[in-house]
Amino acid sequence: MSESYEYILETEHVSKSFGSLEVLKDINLKVKKGEVICIIGPSGAGKPTYLRSLNQLETITSGKIFIKGDLFLHREKDHTIADVSKAQRKALLLEMGMCFQRFNLFPHKTVLENVMLAPITVKKEHPQQVQAEAMELLESVGLADKANEYPSRLSGGQQQRVAIARALAMKPEIMLFDEPTSALDPELVGDVLQVMKDLAAKGMTMLCVTHEMGFARDVADRVLFMADGIIAEEGRPEDLFTNPQNPRTQAFLKSVL
């Protein structure tokens, strides 16, 4: 992998279609290490599809994705794929962790087992070391006392914090959040957002699709407004929220603020 790179994540002309429906249209984005980017916009704008395209949960129709300066994926409109070795693609994929709207914890495993599973099975790390690190992560999200509980005994907010700890257990350099608080009761949102704020303060590179405008305003280095499959406007939160330039952005913010 590249020893030096200007951008930790870069997408060039990324497009994604489902049949005749073009969901992403020529998305270009450059993200620096440690940058926190919040993606806002109306339903159907393509926000989750963009995140899912980054870690190959969706296959892009065309475009290029670079991680830490190295080509991760290159697909042309004729479906030809650039020659990136399977080993390199796997190594680059492990640089990204993801948290979903739904927590997707394994119900038959304890909280601790959920957090330990991937480092042991995917990275082949030593169980004793993984357990110690998993307990540290659970401590950091305020759930060390729930290590031996099963997910069904946790609130939604606690489950989401476990899901964040599980993603962090793989030691990713980039965290992707797909509306991590949208499935939570309002009183449970704050604890999850606090964990994310703590991550941002520690310098984690984050891309977060969110409808929490206060969080975007307080934590983001940049806010992207997506509509109709394009990045319609982007800027610093203090600029975008107080003086949006695009009529679509203006209308959206008027409806949600």
Side-chain angles (χ1 to χ4, degrees), residues 27-244:
I27 301 286
N28 295 285
L29 183 64
K30 295 178 178 181
V31 182
K32 290 188 173 178
K33 185 176 175 62
E35 197 172 11
V36 178
I37 292 179
C38 286
I39 305 172
I40 64 172
S43 297
K47 306 182 301 293
T49 303
Y50 180 58
L51 282 198
R52 292 170 65 87
S53 296
L54 294 177
N55 67 356
Q56 291 204 289
L57 291 172
E58 298 287 357
T59 303
I60 62 173
T61 306
S62 61
K64 295 179 184 178
I65 301 172
F66 296 87
I67 298 171
K68 296 173 73 171
D70 286 317
L71 182 64
F72 173 56
L73 193 65
H74 177 195
R75 183 179 288 266
E76 296 291 352
K77 282 191 165 62
D78 62 3
H79 304 303
T80 55
I81 303 172
D83 185 27
V84 179
S85 74
K86 195 174 284 187
Q88 173 161 313
R89 188 166 291 155
K90 181 182 177 183
L92 292 172
L93 191 58
L94 291 178
E95 299 289 0
M96 288 185 284
M98 186 160 184
C99 283
F100 302 87
Q101 294 179 29
R102 298 287 172 182
F103 330 115
N104 299 334
L105 298 177
F106 294 108
H108 61 291
K109 293 189 178 295
T110 66
V111 162
L112 183 60
E113 289 168 342
N114 265 281
V115 177
M116 291 175 61
L117 185 64
I120 291 172
T121 57
V122 178
K123 285 190 162 182
K124 312 298 182 191
E125 292 181 358
H126 193 277
Q128 201 169 349
Q129 175 69 22
V130 171
Q131 181 170 345
E133 292 174 353
M135 284 304 299
E136 282 182 25
L137 285 169
L138 288 174
E139 183 77 44
S140 74
V141 299
L143 291 172
D145 60 329
K146 303 291 186 184
N148 296 314
E149 296 280 9
Y150 286 89
S152 62
R153 296 178 61 86
L154 304 183
S155 70
Q158 289 171 328
Q159 290 187 55
Q160 188 60 287
R161 283 184 279 153
V162 173
I164 293 172
R166 180 179 62 179
L168 292 174
M170 292 294 282
K171 303 182 182 74
E173 292 206 30
I174 305 165
M175 280 291 291
L176 309 175
F177 291 94
D178 179 13
E179 299 211 27
T181 60
S182 66
L184 303 180
D185 292 331
E187 68 271 18
L188 303 176
V189 168
D191 288 341
V192 174
L193 292 181
Q194 188 58 54
V195 169
M196 293 169 65
K197 287 178 181 178
D198 293 344
L199 273 180
K202 291 174 184 172
M204 173 64 77
T205 307
M206 293 163 55
L207 271 74
C208 181
V209 170
T210 185
H211 62 280
E212 299 287 344
M213 298 300 146
F215 174 80
R217 192 193 294 264
D218 293 345
V219 179
D221 296 300
R222 261 192 298 164
V223 178
L224 310 182
F225 173 73
M226 283 186 71
D228 301 322
I230 64 168
I231 298 174
E233 187 169 354
E234 65 176 283
R236 297 180 307 171
E238 57 266 35
D239 297 329
L240 191 132
F241 282 114
T242 58
N243 189 27

